[in-house]
Amino acid sequence: MLKFALVGNPNSGKTTLFNALTGSTARVGNWPGVTVDKRVGVHKTGERAVDIVDLPGIYSLSPYTPEEVVARNFLLDERPDCLIDIVDATNLERNLYLTTQLMELDLPMVVALNMTDVLDKRGDRIDVRALEKRLGLPVVEISALKAANLELLTERALQAVTTPRKGETVLKNSPLGAAITGAEIALRLKGVEAPLFHAVKLVEGDGLEIKNHPAEAEAAQAFLAAHGTAKGQGEALDTEAAIADARYQYITARFSPTLLRAKKYACDELSPSDKADKLLTDKRLGIPVFLVILFAVFHFTFSKDLFFLGALIPSFGAWCAAEGGALKSVFFSDGLHSVGVLLFNALDLLTGQVGEGLGIGLRALGAGEALTGLVCDGVWGGLAAVLGFLPQILTLFFFFSLLEDTGYMARVAFMLDRLLRRFGVSGRAFMPMIMGFGCSVPAIVGTRTLADEKEREATVRVIPFFACGAKLPVLTAIAGGIVAYFGKGNADIVTYSMYLLGVTVALLSLLFMRNTTMRGEASPFIMELPAYRTPGIKSLALHLWDKAKHFLQKAFTVIFASTLVVWFSSSFGWDWKYLGKEGMEHSVLASIGKLLQPLFTPLGFGSQLTSTGWVFAVAALTGLIAKENVIATLGALAACLSPSFIGATEEGVYEVTTMIAATGITMPALLSFIAFNMLTVPCFAAVAAARSELGRGKLKRTLLFWLVVSCLTSCIVYTVGSWAWTAVPWSVLAAFTVVGIALYKKRAVEPPPPRVRGKRGCCRCGGCKAKAACGAKKE
Amino acid sequence: MLYLSQLSIGERCVVVSVKGEGAIRRRLLDMGITSGTEIYLRKKAPFGDPIEIALRGYELTLRKAEAARVEIERL
């Protein structure tokens, strides 16, 4: 089967074109070794089917970013049958810069000129015939968004495949032309594939290239020296600039005139997009506007009272709150539900009904309690745990993609970069972190926009510290319990300070990591601000479908298996007897909890409690399935342990007060317990997302990081809360850490003292210029 | 010598050269900041840094630290 590769700049509509060409056949994965999306799909034209590979969006074939290296290796090693180079017509010069590099490969190639409709609206147009002639490549005007002219595009591509193409370069007449031709001849004689491309890279002094073709690199340098354009190492860098200059000069001289403007365009003129931008990134209003947009996103995803209708119109609110059956409660409670809540409730109702139905069916067939429990609570419960997350994850994803596709996300990064740089991450890390307040899963997947690996890992680690929607019920229940039992404090203030604690810990650990284990400045921030665009619904839907599929594929097994394990250990005793919910105190999980209980002593909910203190350990464990389980477990155990327990309440306050009475836990210890649950290993779904973003190796370190941070913070909360004087040793410890890091940094920044080399000759450091000679001597 | 980081909002300039080496320099070149390119400083972020420039018919944002590598002449 023929294989076409889609290449183009980011924001050129490449993925939209890919979706339009391949429809639902797309498979999404990662390129080996890097977290760069790889999309492969099949396009059918008439009888023929063609494989389409969507290469990552790149500006150049330089050797510096993982995206560029991936694209380059694919083009050179896999040699697709045809390149479809997608060029954004509204941004011709910079897009053609990549084209001038691609045409140096000996691959058949078609240029897809996208977004000419946007140009039309402005009254501008491109003389396609002239551009075609000057490029020496077929050019097809398309609209990826409207799926217009795609058949013509594939037709021209299929035509192009039939005749082999030799690479062409626009650098022939530049000062470096002779050196390039010389290097090309040398490579061609050696039988290297794509000699022209390699020749240009050699003259450019491209690191990857010099490693792969050292002999030719030397020859190219000799040519350069002979033509008086370069002298040795230092000058080799200049060829990089010279080549970029020459490309752009050629483009402005030859290609740019094919763009026929209706009127002279000045770069300070305001288009409608610019007017919107003026407000959205305004010096004073930009950030308040952003906060409003952010609030709207969360409101549409999590609000149970959309537009505050229930609160504003009391009669409507009362009607919503009134009992009206299961179906009504899907749509209304405090008011009209937001999309996220509505979908969540609908799915919850459905899975609940099916689960119940399964139970009834199984019992009717004469299945025992254990089997019914296994099927309904274990297997089906596991399935529901995976699916249950989806509605709100997807709603949040939807808004995330919407903001991304309109071009607003890049502006948010632009506005907030300065703020975040202090903590060692770039402005692009902001949105994923804030998304963490909603759900860690889309937030963790959203870190993909971060260019730097270390920066991404650090961001993924702190995302769970932004307390997600599922942690809120835990917070309110325990805060409510504290106020109800001890009769002091204010539940709202406790909840609010816990949120604040999470953010503080996140920022502190970012600072700590970026100064110690994950050293490095915030990654460079040279980013295109794409024109504001109305996103295509189809493209958005496909994007969403991609994400959902990807999440389910990656997360399904992890979530399902771990849910099953937790269910199994909480429902069975060591004697393999099924206990059900009522007998949880005798379960395997309970005995694990009892075993773990002493470990929590420094955190305040360990050995100092009565013999029933293990419930907190167990609740923390079941919280791994989903954080709201913490309260559900406390409820189930309260029923087992306290004979006077009447029944679970909606807010969970009663469960908590019962537990406080039964275990004798103190107030600081309870605060430490919430802090622990907020900061420790997040739910399995988030862990699965982190695994697919970071890979297994890094996940292990990250899990350890979560455990250490949560234990340390909880320990501080407990000790300082119980004995105020302990704040003194803690602050001394903190001061020592800060000083230690500062010293460590200073040492690392200063260059190590030069070592005096003895007569032993060659060291394998690679820094010695006489290395080759040393090696020869040794032999 | 004048650098892009020193330009004020609304001013125009022409690129003289891009200093430094490695990935950041190459990225600046790849984005079209080559000698002779006309640049217009559109705005600065709310906290004064990064800056937003217009060149070659599109918009680009970069930090002052990166802009300090671009030597310019005021127009």
Side-chain angles (χ1 to χ4, degrees):
Chain A
M1 197 149 72
L2 287 175
K3 185 163 59 184
F4 291 176
L6 287 184
V7 208
N9 283 184
N11 308 308
S12 59
K14 199 169 50 63
T15 302
T16 315
L17 175 63
F18 175 80
N19 286 338
L21 285 175
T22 59
S24 56
T25 61
R27 297 187 303 278
V28 186
N30 276 346
W31 292 90
V34 283
T35 332
V36 176
D37 277 337
K38 178 182 187 175
R39 290 189 192 81
V40 185
V42 180
H43 174 65
K44 284 209 175 95
T45 64
E47 302 278 289
R48 296 185 82 165
V50 187
D51 265 335
I52 309 257
V53 181
D54 185 22
L55 294 180
I58 48 174
Y59 294 108
S60 160
L61 290 172
S62 89
Y64 294 116
T65 71
E67 287 81 6
E68 286 165 344
V69 174
V70 158
R72 191 162 144 169
N73 289 344
F74 180 84
L75 294 174
L76 290 173
D77 301 340
E78 312 242 340
R79 306 196 61 78
D81 298 289
C82 185
L83 286 186
I84 296 177
D85 172 25
I86 180 156
V87 166
D88 175 357
T90 61
N91 195 344
L92 202 60
E93 281 181 23
R94 211 208 49 228
N95 275 259
L96 286 176
Y97 177 74
L98 178 66
T99 312
T100 63
Q101 297 181 47
L102 294 171
M103 58 198 254
E104 284 158 6
L105 292 156
D106 298 340
L107 294 171
M109 188 171 156
V110 177
V111 172
L113 199 58
N114 193 20
M115 300 194 229
T116 41
D117 45 340
V118 182
L119 224 53
D120 279 343
K121 260 184 221 157
R122 266 194 234 156
D124 302 343
R125 69 178 194 89
I126 287 173
D127 185 348
V128 178
R129 291 297 139 254
L131 184 62
E132 202 162 45
K133 221 168 134 197
R134 292 181 180 188
L135 278 170
L137 295 167
V139 178
V140 184
E141 283 183 274
I142 62 157
S143 167
L145 204 60
K146 293 175 190 154
N149 253 1
L150 301 188
E151 266 161 45
L152 185 65
L153 178 68
T154 42
E155 203 178 289
R156 296 295 289 272
L158 287 169
Q159 272 170 21
V161 172
T162 53
T163 44
R165 190 181 149 272
K166 231 184 101 201
E168 289 284 340
T169 180
V170 299
L171 302 167
K172 231 179 293 168
N173 297 322
S174 73
L176 296 163
I180 292 169
T181 317
E184 188 203 349
I185 294 170
L187 289 172
R188 195 179 293 281
L189 288 175
K190 269 195 86 182
V192 173
E193 281 190 74
L196 179 62
F197 175 82
H198 289 293
V200 174
K201 290 287 157 205
L202 282 174
V203 174
E204 209 170 39
D206 182 307
L208 270 182
E209 202 60 29
I210 292 172
K211 220 166 66 191
N212 296 339
H213 306 270
E216 284 76 8
E218 242 170 74
Q221 285 300 322
F223 266 104
L224 285 177
H227 287 81
T229 36
K231 292 179 222 91
Q233 280 269 299
E235 294 287 320
L237 284 166
D238 249 348
T239 55
E240 204 173 16
I243 285 185
D245 273 357
R247 283 188 202 282
Y248 270 114
Q249 266 167 28
Y250 191 92
I251 291 168
T252 35
R254 296 279 297 157
F255 302 148
S256 302
T258 60
L259 172 63
L260 308 169
R261 294 191 191 279
K263 52 178 179 181
K264 187 98 177 82
Y265 174 77
C267 47
D268 51 348
E269 201 178 299
L270 286 182
S271 70
S273 155
D274 297 337
K275 277 175 205 147
D277 185 64
K278 229 176 150 96
L279 171 71
L280 291 174
T281 59
D282 185 83
K283 214 169 170 79
R284 271 179 223 96
L285 290 175
I287 289 173
V289 168
F290 165 67
L291 292 176
V292 170
I293 293 176
L294 199 65
F295 175 79
V297 167
F298 282 108
H299 188 69
F300 283 124
T301 314
F302 295 105
S303 174
K304 288 185 170 174
D305 186 3
L306 197 65
F307 305 125
F308 304 109
L309 287 178
L312 291 174
I313 312 165
S315 57
F316 178 67
W319 179 81
C320 291
E323 199 58 46
L327 204 59
K328 189 191 165 200
S329 62
V330 170
F331 292 91
F332 307 98
S333 62
D334 299 343
L336 179 63
H337 287 164
S338 61
V339 196
V341 176
L342 202 151
L343 291 173
F344 176 82
N345 285 349
L347 194 69
D348 192 48
L349 182 69
L350 189 74
T351 50
Q353 293 288 345
V354 173
E356 244 171 63
L358 270 176
I360 295 169
L362 280 170
R363 274 183 213 104
L365 289 171
E369 271 308 301
L371 184 65
T372 319
L374 175 74
V375 174
C376 298
D377 299 332
V379 177
W380 185 251
L383 274 171
V386 182
L387 292 174
F389 287 113
L390 265 183
Q392 287 180 331
I393 289 177
L394 285 185
T395 319
L396 218 51
F397 254 143
F398 172 81
F399 289 116
F400 203 84
S401 315
L402 195 72
L403 295 180
E404 182 86 57
D405 290 359
T406 49
Y408 182 59
M409 207 76 110
R411 268 79 184 183
V412 174
F414 164 73
M415 284 193 289
L416 296 162
D417 179 67
R418 185 63 213 269
L419 213 59
L420 285 184
R421 206 179 332 150
R422 285 174 203 207
F423 301 101
V425 290
S426 81
R428 274 171 290 210
F430 189 79
M431 217 44 191
M433 289 199 288
I434 284 294
M435 282 289 167
F437 280 127
C439 173
S440 298
V441 175
I444 288 172
V445 179
T447 57
R448 217 159 249 236
T449 48
L450 295 173
D452 183 74
E453 286 280 330
K454 281 183 188 168
E455 190 185 343
R456 185 188 301 147
E457 191 179 348
T459 311
V460 166
R461 284 183 180 185
V462 301
I463 280 173
F465 299 164
F466 294 84
C468 73
K471 284 172 183 166
L472 181 64
V474 183
L475 279 176
T476 47
I478 297 183
I482 290 173
V483 174
Y485 190 84
F486 296 102
K488 32 181 181 183
N490 174 312
D492 291 339
I493 291 177
V494 172
T495 309
Y496 181 70
S497 9
M498 279 298 156
Y499 270 91
L500 224 54
L501 179 76
V503 176
T504 314
V505 171
L507 293 179
L508 284 178
S509 22
L510 269 182
L511 263 182
F512 182 77
M513 281 189 286
R514 296 296 277 171
N515 279 308
T516 56
T517 54
M518 282 185 244
R519 284 170 61 83
E521 290 288 304
S523 59
F525 192 73
I526 305 167
M527 187 178 66
E528 180 188 0
L529 291 174
Y532 288 93
R533 270 174 207 141
T534 327
I537 291 301
K538 194 187 164 198
S539 165
L540 212 60
L542 270 170
H543 189 71
L544 212 59
W545 172 237
D546 263 8
K547 293 278 179 206
K549 218 163 59 174
H550 189 73
F551 170 69
L552 284 179
Q553 277 166 356
K554 288 276 178 184
F556 188 85
T557 350
V558 179
I559 303 176
F560 186 65
S562 19
T563 308
L564 211 58
V565 167
V566 173
W567 172 82
F568 202 79
S569 55
S570 66
S571 324
F572 283 84
W574 289 107
D575 51 1
W576 291 100
K577 238 175 78 190
Y578 180 72
L579 303 163
K581 278 200 187 82
E582 300 72 33
M584 201 170 178
E585 62 198 285
H586 305 295
S587 67
V588 174
L589 194 67
S591 56
I592 294 175
K594 281 169 202 160
L595 203 69
L596 289 179
Q597 188 184 351
L599 289 181
F600 292 111
T601 310
L603 312 188
F605 44 99
S607 303
Q608 58 270 73
L609 304 185
T610 58
S611 59
T612 50
W614 52 267
V615 290
F616 290 101
V618 172
L621 283 175
T622 56
L624 292 174
I625 296 178
K627 290 294 163 186
E628 52 263 58
N629 280 5
V630 171
I631 299 303
T633 305
L634 287 183
L637 290 172
C640 306
L641 298 175
S642 171
S644 61
F645 186 71
I646 303 165
T649 53
E650 202 180 331
E651 273 82 38
V653 173
Y654 183 56
E655 284 92 320
V656 177
T657 48
T658 311
M659 274 303 164
I660 299 173
T663 56
I665 191 167
T666 62
M667 194 166 133
L670 272 172
L671 291 175
S672 140
F673 178 68
I674 353 183
F676 179 77
N677 276 297
M678 288 224 337
L679 302 175
T680 197
V681 180
C683 65
F684 289 131
V687 172
R691 197 180 92 153
S692 84
E693 285 312 302
L694 298 176
R696 258 175 222 217
K698 284 184 188 165
L699 180 71
K700 271 185 211 153
R701 277 186 283 155
T702 301
L703 287 172
L704 188 69
F705 168 82
W706 283 328
L707 276 176
V708 170
V709 169
S710 56
C711 288
L712 193 68
T713 314
S714 302
C715 185
I716 295 174
V717 168
Y718 172 62
T719 49
V720 175
S722 308
W723 309 280
W725 60 266
T726 51
V728 178
W730 281 119
S731 6
V732 171
L733 194 69
F736 268 114
T737 318
V738 171
V739 171
I741 291 173
L743 285 177
Y744 170 79
K745 255 184 102 172
K746 211 177 154 204
R747 242 187 69 192
V749 170
E750 272 170 23
R755 255 188 230 153
V756 183
R757 280 191 201 115
K759 286 174 193 161
R760 284 175 54 216
C762 184
C763 59
R764 268 164 286 144
C765 66
C768 171
K769 273 188 188 157
K771 192 184 164 198
C774 291
K777 222 181 275 171
K778 243 184 185 174
E779 281 160 23
Chain B
M1 265 197 280
L2 195 65
Y3 293 95
L4 183 55
S5 50
Q6 293 161 290
L7 211 60
S8 320
I9 297 176
E11 282 188 306
R12 276 160 210 288
C13 67
V14 162
V15 177
V16 175
S17 69
V18 181
K19 307 253 181 278
E21 55 182 87
I24 295 180
R25 178 183 198 237
R26 177 60 186 267
R27 175 46 75 94
L28 292 170
L29 292 169
D30 283 344
M31 298 309 273
I33 306 182
T34 55
S35 57
T37 311
E38 196 183 321
I39 290 180
Y40 169 73
L41 188 76
R42 286 201 53 173
K43 67 166 87 94
K44 293 178 177 179
F47 297 102
D49 186 17
I51 58 172
E52 182 183 333
I53 57 174
L55 75 156
R56 299 188 183 279
Y58 82 100
E59 273 134 50
L60 183 75
T61 167
L62 68 168
R63 293 197 187 122
K64 279 191 170 164
E66 289 137 6
R69 292 162 174 254
V70 182
E71 194 193 330
I72 52 159
E73 258 167 30
R74 237 187 221 114
L75 272 187

